[in-house]
Amino acid sequence: MIRWASTRPAVIWAIGMALMLAGAMAFVRLPLATKTAVELPRLTVSASWAGASAELIETYITSPIEAAIQGVRGVRKTSSTSGERGANISVELEPGADVQLTRLAIHERLELLRSELPQGVAAPQVENYVPEELSEQPLMQYSLSGPYTPGTLSRIVEEQLKPRITAVPGVASVGTFGRATVGISVSYDVQRLRQLEISPALLSAALAGARVVQALGEEQGGATIRAVVLRDQPHVYQDLEQLPIRAASGRVYTLGELAAVRPEEDTRGVFSRLNGVPKVGLDLNRLPGADVIQTAARVRTAMAEIQRLLPTGVVVKLESDESVELGKQLRDLILRGSIAFAAVCLILLLTLRHLKSVVLVMGSAAIAIAGTALGLYLLKIPANLLTLAGLGMGVGILVQN
């Protein structure tokens, strides 16, 4: 091959220039990340039930969720752990299964299962499995504060911030901390229920049936098949007061006649404040393969637009941004690399004392860098500090040889 290349310099020059041009374009468009993107054929499903024992969680949460997951196409094996804090289910997928499509299918199964779970069970969460050694810190952290209750701030986060932020290209998920769960408190008089011969279980059954999510079947229109799902749930807490309760005598009461129904906030024993006012925090995670710096810039732009739509007094503050430190490290790496490249050229000139030889050596290094950048871009592998440092070491070995 060396003999073939030496007799066709024009072809080699054309290939080299084309590779360097393509590599330069790929290097500009190459996404940047702090660590290597990881997508293993494995998912983690978690659910919690405050105050429940491990036996209850295993019976009423873990077993139904495992039964629902095992019917999803692409699932190979499930293993679970149930404790007083909740259930954690590890889902191993088939080697050729699509992780994202399987995750969406599990989400659909769990949404249909929610109506069968006991009251007080938090919505199950499905996440990609990432080893602790390769896990990343949240890309950005924001705090939402203002002269409102934690429940009101949490509702603002769920209704206004989350839908807009998750729509930003490159954002995978938005987590919250320090939030309060807005619920309904139903208080009844035990003596009065005994006099009316009404069991408290009837009240629980009426509340459990107030929200119905049930799969009815499929509707086929030509080549399109759509799932038909029944969803019936109250929109305001006053609707719960009209739920019918039938006593043993046959008389029908409304829930509002038997109990006091009022909204209530549950902070689960955690209170977060910023400068003396309640706050709710947000963690933003990026999609695998998304550019850290560009994603963070898009989030800041979107958050500036969202700020103008929030109620009076609500302030969104950026607490941390991983892209800032990454940008500093990359700029430092580029500066050091440029200095090293110039120093190597100078040393080669002083030692070889032949300009054409120096151009050939450094041209080979440039082609190696361009080829690596093009390969990373075509394989959709984001560049990070580890890959860039390894590229620098490879160029050094090439120059030394």
Side-chain angles (χ1 to χ4, degrees):
M1 185 170 181
I2 296 177
R3 184 181 298 111
W4 179 88
S6 61
T7 57
R8 294 170 177 82
V11 176
I12 300 303
W13 276 107
I15 294 175
M17 295 302 296
L19 184 59
M20 291 181 64
L21 181 61
M25 296 179 62
F27 196 83
V28 174
R29 300 182 180 182
L30 199 61
L32 301 174
T34 53
K35 292 184 179 180
T36 305
V38 177
E39 188 177 68
L40 300 177
R42 188 172 175 182
L43 297 171
T44 300
V45 181
S46 58
S48 61
W49 188 8
S53 63
E55 290 79 6
L56 290 176
I57 290 177
E58 196 277 333
T59 303
Y60 294 102
I61 297 181
T62 308
S63 295
I65 290 179
E66 280 187 320
I69 292 175
Q70 288 171 354
V72 176
R73 178 180 299 178
V75 174
R76 180 182 179 184
K77 184 178 68 174
T78 61
S79 57
S80 63
T81 303
S82 303
E84 295 182 355
R85 295 185 177 182
N88 191 286
I89 303 171
S90 177
V91 183
E92 295 186 15
L93 308 182
E94 297 289 346
D98 189 298
V99 178
Q100 297 304 323
L101 290 180
T102 307
R103 179 179 176 180
L104 291 176
I106 292 177
H107 267 298
E108 293 177 357
R109 293 292 183 94
L110 295 182
E111 181 64 23
L112 296 174
L113 183 66
R114 285 185 60 183
S115 60
E116 303 178 9
L117 297 178
Q119 293 291 327
V121 176
Q125 302 294 322
V126 184
E127 299 176 349
N128 287 23
Y129 172 77
V130 179
E132 185 177 354
E133 295 79 5
L134 297 177
S135 62
E136 287 189 5
Q137 294 294 327
L139 173 60
M140 306 175 76
Q141 285 187 331
Y142 279 91
S143 63
L144 186 75
S145 61
Y148 298 92
T149 63
T152 302
L153 293 176
S154 300
R155 187 168 62 251
I156 293 174
V157 170
E158 294 293 333
E159 297 178 357
Q160 300 190 36
L161 268 72
K162 269 192 173 183
R164 291 181 171 90
I165 295 301
T166 51
V168 174
V171 176
S173 61
V174 179
T176 58
F177 57 93
R179 63 189 299 270
T181 303
V182 180
I184 303 297
S185 173
V186 179
S187 304
Y188 56 87
D189 187 350
V190 178
Q191 297 296 334
R192 184 162 182 249
L193 291 183
R194 288 178 179 175
Q195 293 173 359
L196 299 175
E197 298 182 353
I198 297 177
S199 171
L202 295 177
L203 276 64
S204 300
L207 291 172
R211 182 181 185 275
V212 178
V213 180
Q214 183 178 0
L216 300 181
E218 295 180 344
E219 178 185 8
Q220 184 172 3
T224 305
I225 299 178
R226 292 179 294 184
V228 180
V229 180
L230 171 65
R231 298 178 184 272
D232 184 16
Q233 60 185 19
H235 297 286
V236 293
Y237 78 92
Q238 288 86 352
D239 293 344
L240 297 176
E241 297 178 349
Q242 305 304 319
L243 293 176
I245 307 294
R246 183 180 296 275
S249 60
R251 180 177 175 181
V252 177
Y253 297 89
T254 63
L255 183 62
E257 295 175 336
L258 303 176
V261 182
R262 58 180 181 272
E264 191 173 87
E265 297 181 1
D266 183 12
T267 61
R268 300 187 180 185
V270 178
F271 299 91
S272 300
R273 300 174 72 86
L274 179 64
N275 294 330
V277 295
K279 76 164 185 178
V280 176
L282 291 88
D283 288 335
L284 278 68
N285 300 301
R286 69 175 184 91
L287 285 171
D291 188 286
V292 170
I293 297 178
Q294 294 181 6
T295 302
R298 287 193 287 262
V299 169
R300 286 193 293 267
T301 302
M303 197 64 76
E305 298 176 356
I306 295 173
Q307 176 69 69
R308 295 194 291 266
L309 304 176
L310 297 179
T312 305
V314 177
V315 178
V316 178
K317 181 182 178 182
L318 178 62
E319 299 292 346
S320 65
D321 187 350
E322 290 292 322
S323 66
V324 175
E325 183 64 26
L326 177 62
K328 292 180 180 178
Q329 294 177 354
L330 289 175
R331 287 192 295 270
D332 181 69
L333 185 61
I334 292 174
L335 177 60
R336 292 174 180 268
S338 302
I339 295 174
F341 197 88
V344 170
C345 290
L346 180 60
I347 293 174
L348 288 177
L349 280 173
L350 294 176
T351 55
L352 298 179
R353 298 181 182 181
H354 192 266
L355 181 60
K356 186 176 181 179
S357 300
V358 176
V359 172
L360 288 175
V361 173
M362 301 312 296
S364 302
I367 290 177
I369 295 174
T372 303
L374 182 60
L376 293 175
Y377 179 76
L378 294 177
L379 296 175
K380 298 181 179 180
I381 301 176
N384 51 66
L385 297 179
L386 183 61
T387 57
L388 293 178
L391 179 61
M393 293 177 62
V395 171
I397 295 173
L398 175 63
V399 172
Q400 182 180 3
N401 291 340

